[in-house]
Amino acid sequence: MKNRSIPSPAVTRLSLYLRELEHLQAAEVAKVSSSQLAGSLHITDAQVRKDLGYFGQFGRPGVGYRVEPLIEALRHILGTDRTQNVVVIGAGDLGRALLRYRGFHKKGFDIVAAFDISASKVGKQVGHVKVMDMSDLPAIAGKYDVKLAVIAVPTESAQQVTDALCSAGIKGILNFAPAILETTPDVAVRPVDLAASLEQLSFTIASSE
Amino acid sequence: MKNRSIPSPAVTRLSLYLRELEHLQAAEVAKVSSSQLAGSLHITDAQVRKDLGYFGQFGRPGVGYRVEPLIEALRHILGTDRTQNVVVIGAGDLGRALLRYRGFHKKGFDIVAAFDISASKVGKQVGHVKVMDMSDLPAIAGKYDVKLAVIAVPTESAQQVTDALCSAGIKGILNFAPAILETTPDVAVRPVDLAASLEQLSFTIASSE
DNA sequence: CCCTGTGAACCTGTTCACAGCG
DNA sequence: CGCTGTGAACAGGTTCACAGGG
């Protein structure tokens, strides 16, 4: 526990800063000011400085931030300076789409295995992994030191999958099933509820009429 | 604009309340208290009452909330008491997975069309729609009164797709491309950055060691 | 003079606590 | 007596504003 009360929205923005910095690096920009960074993300410059300030002193007064060192620092903070192995549970439409999604690898995540209970899916090749049976999960999780998992199974089986993941030593779950998952306290869950996201948009539209 | 300063986290939770209420309804539970609802979502009872209080008085002291009327009220608030038509832009892996996802329809959303620029994809049937060319967007948007769109295209084309959507009168965009989209002020964007979500989990794990 | 880092002020959202109704 | 609805107290985050370094 080395957390000194960092606002969780600040951590969310860290990913955005990193993304923007990677664009700048690709465009061979060497340095950037907080107000430039803020501008492209539609937030204030003070916000950028404060967020970065939670983690250290990365800038130089009168100059700004050097792009490359800041990228490395942010990756280190986020834990993506080394490859993170990930498993995907559920090889339905969504699971298969995630297995083929290239965005994860670019950000330092490596999907090392996929799992399903359906005999019709087990054994099939998707992306660069073969779908395995759920019973193989503990062995794979141990072998590849997997800490992160993605749940892309139907709502009804989400909780039992979660239990299996907790037992297998997974510490973070990205959950696409529309359900609240019960976990051991050392496991973090991040929900992604697609229908609820559309509902939020629907509300925004409805209330601005 | 009938918005009387409602905290946006409260709106997010509205979707969770609705989801839980629908479960209760399926289990033929007729009424529920704020503390019951709160318990299953891991929040406080006061939070539930305050959130609902922003939108009206739905409960009865000493009794609780009647499940069915509250469901109807929440759907009305979220604008999903009538079907909302949606278009999906991009018929790659993710787009096709979304086209087949049943969760949207259950919540009152109807995907009426999919679009892509690639000639190899246009004309193909996915789920219950046929993939159309981007140039057909304005006609379809008008014909079906589409207000919501989902962007599932590569990052590079996300902005030009956004421009087309704004011109076609779309008011809400669910954006899977890892990019900040520039829109006209009357268009709401909700980002879903899958890699960034994994980064958040990675951070949580890294900082609890 | 430009730009960072950071206390202080401000604002937004959550929790408390209780009055009041069934 | 149980449970809602809601002001009041509190906590968490954001913005301000400025001191200080290059």
Side-chain angles (χ1 to χ4, degrees):
Chain A
M1 304 265 185
K2 59 179 177 183
N3 178 344
R4 209 174 17 138
S5 80
I6 292 159
S8 79
V11 181
T12 308
R13 286 188 295 268
L14 239 45
S15 289
L16 301 182
Y17 300 150
L18 177 54
R19 201 173 74 184
E20 188 59 28
L21 287 163
E22 285 167 346
H23 286 154
L24 291 171
Q25 189 182 43
E28 294 186 25
V29 176
K31 54 188 172 43
V32 65
S33 69
S34 58
S35 54
Q36 286 176 275
L37 216 40
S40 46
L41 300 175
H42 300 146
I43 57 177
T44 68
D45 54 345
Q47 182 82 81
V48 173
R49 292 197 300 277
K50 184 129 284 204
D51 287 344
L52 296 176
Y54 291 120
F55 301 95
Q57 305 194 164
F58 304 107
R60 291 252 292 271
V63 182
Y65 301 86
R66 292 208 300 138
V67 172
E68 202 168 312
L70 187 50
I71 287 177
E72 307 218 332
L74 294 184
R75 284 191 185 142
H76 182 71
I77 293 163
L78 292 170
T80 55
D81 50 346
R82 59 183 191 85
T83 299
Q84 296 273 355
N85 291 332
V86 181
V87 291
V88 172
I89 318 292
D93 291 317
L94 185 57
R96 290 199 304 272
L98 295 171
L99 289 170
R100 294 197 187 96
Y101 182 55
R102 289 160 199 80
F104 292 135
H105 194 259
K106 285 178 196 157
K107 286 288 182 171
F109 299 100
D110 195 0
I111 299 180
V112 294
F115 297 89
D116 207 295
I117 41 161
S118 159
S120 65
K121 284 164 190 158
V122 173
K124 292 220 171 117
Q125 184 83 16
V126 184
H128 66 291
V129 299
K130 198 168 273 186
V131 179
M132 308 177 88
D133 189 86
M134 275 301 280
S135 58
D136 297 324
L137 172 64
I140 297 290
K143 183 176 173 190
Y144 293 100
D145 189 33
V146 182
K147 293 283 196 307
L148 297 171
V150 180
I151 291 186
V153 301
T155 311
E156 309 78 65
S157 28
Q159 185 57 54
Q160 69 190 69
V161 163
T162 303
D163 298 343
L165 290 170
C166 291
S167 303
I170 264 63
K171 298 296 178 208
I173 297 174
L174 189 63
N175 175 34
F176 285 87
I180 303 288
L181 304 178
E182 309 291 336
T183 64
T184 36
D186 62 330
V187 176
V189 177
R190 202 182 158 94
V192 180
D193 188 330
L194 303 175
S197 298
L198 274 187
E199 280 177 348
Q200 301 302 306
L201 286 169
S202 172
F203 171 83
T204 307
I205 294 168
S207 57
S208 68
E209 272 169 359
Chain B
M1 306 263 183
K2 57 179 178 181
N3 180 344
R4 207 171 24 133
S5 79
I6 291 161
S8 80
V11 181
T12 309
R13 286 188 295 267
L14 241 45
S15 290
L16 301 183
Y17 300 151
L18 177 55
R19 201 173 74 183
E20 188 58 29
L21 287 162
E22 286 166 346
H23 285 155
L24 292 171
Q25 189 181 44
E28 296 187 22
V29 176
K31 54 190 173 40
V32 65
S33 70
S34 58
S35 54
Q36 285 176 277
L37 259 183
S40 46
L41 299 175
H42 299 148
I43 58 176
T44 68
D45 54 346
Q47 183 81 82
V48 174
R49 293 197 299 276
K50 183 125 290 194
D51 287 345
L52 296 176
Y54 291 121
F55 301 96
Q57 306 192 164
F58 304 107
R60 291 252 292 271
V63 182
Y65 301 86
R66 292 208 300 137
V67 171
E68 202 168 312
L70 186 51
I71 287 177
E72 306 217 333
L74 294 185
R75 283 193 185 138
H76 182 72
I77 293 163
L78 292 170
T80 56
D81 50 344
R82 59 183 191 84
T83 299
Q84 297 272 357
N85 291 333
V86 181
V87 292
V88 171
I89 318 294
D93 291 317
L94 185 58
R96 290 199 304 272
L98 295 171
L99 288 170
R100 294 197 187 98
Y101 182 54
R102 288 159 198 84
F104 292 135
H105 193 259
K106 285 179 195 159
K107 285 286 182 173
F109 299 100
D110 195 0
I111 300 179
V112 296
F115 297 89
D116 206 294
I117 41 161
S118 160
S120 66
K121 283 166 191 155
V122 173
K124 292 227 170 113
Q125 183 81 15
V126 183
H128 65 291
V129 299
K130 197 168 272 186
V131 179
M132 308 177 89
D133 190 86
M134 275 302 282
S135 59
D136 297 324
L137 172 65
I140 295 289
K143 183 175 171 191
Y144 293 100
D145 189 33
V146 181
K147 294 282 196 308
L148 297 170
V150 179
I151 292 186
V153 302
T155 311
E156 309 79 62
S157 27
Q159 185 57 53
Q160 70 190 67
V161 163
T162 303
D163 297 343
L165 289 170
C166 291
S167 303
I170 264 64
K171 299 297 178 207
I173 297 174
L174 188 62
N175 176 33
F176 285 87
I180 303 288
L181 304 178
E182 309 291 336
T183 64
T184 36
D186 62 331
V187 176
V189 177
R190 199 180 160 96
V192 180
D193 187 330
L194 303 176
S197 298
L198 274 187
E199 280 177 348
Q200 301 303 306
L201 286 170
S202 173
F203 171 82
T204 307
I205 293 169
S207 57
S208 67
E209 274 169 0

